[in-house]
């Protein structure tokens, strides 16, 4: 009877391991090719997005605060970084990676220490973004380490 328990325990572990390796529903399959980062930016142009989930490069969950992003037809992005407004141009490398590493400006207002720390981290991690995609109607930026910024469409009062 003891070998049967060991076998069942091993089988249960293998099932859990394989289930953990299975792609989640938001991932694309071979029959549904993912849009490139550049194509994604075309798709999100003209819409306002509000950050509502942020996993830092170190894997820790971050307070999203009032961070927003809007993209225009020239790949210029702008928004609220927590305290200050920002703008800049996203570029794309030859390999197709998203590049937020240069050319960004922001206003220079002071805010509460926690809001200023959030904003400083947002700008630092935005520079580490490498790809963009749309997942279930959400604008998702991913980068180095565990970095993942998920934006939901911003609700507007306009009809």
């Amino acid at each position: 009877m003891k070998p049967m328990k060991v076998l069942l325990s091993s089988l249960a572990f293998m099932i859990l391991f394989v289930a953990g390796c299975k792609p989640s529903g938001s991932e694309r399959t071979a029959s549904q090719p993912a849009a490139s980062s550049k194509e994604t930016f075309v798709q999100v142009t003209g819409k306002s997005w509000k950050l509502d989930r942020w996993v830092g490069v170190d894997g820790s969950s971050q307070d999203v605060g009032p961070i927003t992003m809007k993209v225009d037809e020239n790949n210029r992005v702008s928004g609220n970084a927590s305290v200050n407004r920002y703008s800049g141009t996203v570029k794309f490398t030859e390999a197709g990676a998203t590049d937020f590493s240069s050319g960004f400006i922001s206003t220079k207002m002071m805010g509460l220490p926690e809001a200023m720390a959030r904003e400083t981290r947002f700008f630092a991690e935005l520079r580490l973004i490498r790809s963009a995609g749309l997942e279930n109607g959400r604008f998702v930026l991913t980068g180095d380490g565990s970095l993942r910024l998920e934006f939901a469409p911003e609700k507007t009062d306009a009809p």
Side-chain angles (χ1 to χ4, degrees):
M1 191 69 168
K2 199 169 196 171
M4 182 61 103
K5 283 185 179 180
V6 171
L7 178 64
L8 289 175
S9 295
S10 297
L11 183 59
F13 175 78
M14 287 175 35
I15 290 170
L16 288 173
F17 177 77
V18 170
C21 294
K22 179 182 168 189
S24 70
S26 65
E27 294 180 27
R28 303 209 186 270
T29 64
S31 63
Q32 299 173 306
S36 71
S37 289
K38 196 170 190 175
E39 291 167 336
T40 296
F41 274 85
V42 169
Q43 293 172 345
V44 302
T45 293
K47 298 175 185 151
S48 294
W49 301 89
K50 181 171 183 354
L51 185 65
D52 71 351
R53 183 167 184 262
W54 177 2
V55 177
V57 70
D58 61 359
S60 63
S61 291
Q62 299 298 309
D63 174 18
V64 297
I67 297 174
T68 62
M69 184 177 287
K70 186 170 185 169
V71 180
D72 76 11
E73 61 278 349
N74 297 314
N75 293 327
R76 291 202 44 86
V77 295
S78 61
N80 181 321
S82 197
V83 175
N84 290 288
R85 303 276 312 153
Y86 69 94
S87 67
T89 302
V90 65
K91 297 177 179 112
F92 304 96
T93 68
E94 284 186 27
T98 303
D99 182 1
F100 283 94
S101 67
S102 63
F104 276 76
I105 60 171
S106 73
T107 57
K108 302 291 183 198
M109 297 184 299
M110 292 299 294
L112 295 173
E114 59 273 4
M116 294 302 296
R118 177 187 317 113
E119 182 170 286
T120 298
R121 183 165 184 158
F122 174 71
F123 285 136
E125 292 195 341
L126 193 60
R127 296 172 68 91
L128 303 175
I129 293 297
R130 301 292 177 249
S131 66
L134 283 171
E135 296 178 13
N136 299 320
R138 299 167 61 78
F139 180 36
V140 180
L141 302 174
T142 57
D144 295 352
S146 298
L147 183 55
R148 185 174 175 90
L149 304 174
E150 294 185 21
F151 293 83
E154 196 167 35
K155 307 255 187 284
T156 62
D157 295 329

